[in-house]
Short mmCIF file of all heavy atoms in Angstrom, two decimals:
data_model
loop_
_atom_site.label_atom_id
_atom_site.label_comp_id
_atom_site.label_asym_id
_atom_site.label_seq_id
_atom_site.Cartn_x
_atom_site.Cartn_y
_atom_site.Cartn_z
N CYS A 265 26.40 164.07 172.92
CA CYS A 265 27.60 163.94 173.77
C CYS A 265 27.62 162.55 174.44
O CYS A 265 26.71 162.20 175.20
CB CYS A 265 27.59 165.03 174.85
SG CYS A 265 28.89 164.81 176.08
N PRO A 266 28.66 161.75 174.19
CA PRO A 266 28.70 160.40 174.74
C PRO A 266 28.69 160.36 176.27
O PRO A 266 28.11 159.46 176.87
CB PRO A 266 30.02 159.83 174.20
CG PRO A 266 30.36 160.67 173.03
CD PRO A 266 29.81 162.03 173.32
N ARG A 267 29.31 161.35 176.89
CA ARG A 267 29.32 161.36 178.36
C ARG A 267 27.94 161.74 178.92
O ARG A 267 27.48 161.17 179.90
CB ARG A 267 30.39 162.34 178.87
CG ARG A 267 31.83 161.85 178.61
CD ARG A 267 32.15 160.61 179.43
NE ARG A 267 33.43 160.04 179.10
CZ ARG A 267 34.55 160.22 179.80
NH1 ARG A 267 34.55 160.98 180.86
NH2 ARG A 267 35.65 159.62 179.43
N LEU A 274 26.95 166.61 182.11
CA LEU A 274 27.63 167.49 181.16
C LEU A 274 26.68 167.93 180.04
O LEU A 274 26.12 167.08 179.33
CB LEU A 274 28.84 166.74 180.55
CG LEU A 274 29.59 167.42 179.42
CD1 LEU A 274 30.18 168.75 179.87
CD2 LEU A 274 30.70 166.50 178.90
N PRO A 276 27.05 170.54 177.06
CA PRO A 276 27.85 171.57 176.37
C PRO A 276 27.03 172.75 175.87
O PRO A 276 27.51 173.88 175.86
CB PRO A 276 28.53 170.80 175.23
CG PRO A 276 27.92 169.44 175.20
CD PRO A 276 27.31 169.20 176.53
N CYS A 304 34.30 166.69 180.73
CA CYS A 304 34.32 166.48 179.27
C CYS A 304 35.54 165.60 178.94
O CYS A 304 36.64 165.85 179.41
CB CYS A 304 34.43 167.83 178.58
SG CYS A 304 34.93 167.74 176.86
N SER A 305 35.31 164.57 178.15
CA SER A 305 36.41 163.64 177.81
C SER A 305 37.26 164.16 176.66
O SER A 305 38.27 163.56 176.33
CB SER A 305 35.82 162.29 177.40
OG SER A 305 35.14 162.43 176.15
N GLU A 306 36.82 165.25 176.04
CA GLU A 306 37.52 165.85 174.88
C GLU A 306 37.49 164.93 173.66
O GLU A 306 38.40 164.94 172.85
CB GLU A 306 38.96 166.24 175.27
CG GLU A 306 38.99 167.21 176.44
CD GLU A 306 40.38 167.51 176.96
OE1 GLU A 306 41.36 167.28 176.22
OE2 GLU A 306 40.48 167.98 178.11
N CYS A 307 36.42 164.14 173.56
CA CYS A 307 36.32 163.20 172.44
C CYS A 307 36.13 163.93 171.11
O CYS A 307 36.48 163.41 170.05
CB CYS A 307 35.17 162.23 172.65
SG CYS A 307 33.53 162.98 172.49
N GLY A 308 35.55 165.13 171.14
CA GLY A 308 35.43 165.94 169.93
C GLY A 308 34.20 165.66 169.08
O GLY A 308 34.02 166.28 168.03
N LEU A 309 33.31 164.79 169.55
CA LEU A 309 32.13 164.47 168.75
C LEU A 309 31.24 165.71 168.55
O LEU A 309 30.66 165.90 167.48
CB LEU A 309 31.33 163.37 169.45
CG LEU A 309 30.44 162.54 168.55
CD1 LEU A 309 31.26 161.73 167.58
CD2 LEU A 309 29.59 161.60 169.40
N CYS A 310 31.17 166.55 169.59
CA CYS A 310 30.31 167.74 169.50
C CYS A 310 30.75 168.64 168.36
O CYS A 310 29.91 169.13 167.60
CB CYS A 310 30.30 168.49 170.83
SG CYS A 310 31.93 168.78 171.52
N ARG A 322 34.14 171.51 172.30
CA ARG A 322 35.29 170.83 172.95
C ARG A 322 36.39 171.83 173.26
O ARG A 322 36.92 171.84 174.37
CB ARG A 322 35.84 169.73 172.06
CG ARG A 322 37.21 169.25 172.56
CD ARG A 322 37.78 168.07 171.84
NE ARG A 322 38.06 168.28 170.43
CZ ARG A 322 38.66 167.37 169.67
NH1 ARG A 322 39.02 166.22 170.19
NH2 ARG A 322 38.87 167.60 168.39
N ASN A 325 35.48 173.91 176.12
CA ASN A 325 35.59 173.15 177.38
C ASN A 325 37.05 173.04 177.83
O ASN A 325 37.35 173.18 179.02
CB ASN A 325 35.01 171.74 177.21
CG ASN A 325 33.49 171.76 177.17
OD1 ASN A 325 32.88 172.79 177.41
ND2 ASN A 325 32.89 170.62 176.87
S1 SF4 B 501 34.16 166.74 173.60
FE1 SF4 B 501 32.02 167.35 173.32
S2 SF4 B 501 30.96 165.42 172.89
FE2 SF4 B 501 32.93 164.85 173.78
S3 SF4 B 501 32.55 164.64 175.99
FE3 SF4 B 501 33.21 166.77 175.62
S4 SF4 B 501 31.32 167.91 175.37
FE4 SF4 B 501 30.80 165.75 175.11
#
Side-chain angles (χ1 to χ4, degrees):
C265 172
R267 290 293 173 100
L274 173 61
C304 164
S305 69
E306 302 173 20
C307 71
L309 204 66
C310 48
R322 166 174 63 175
N325 286 352

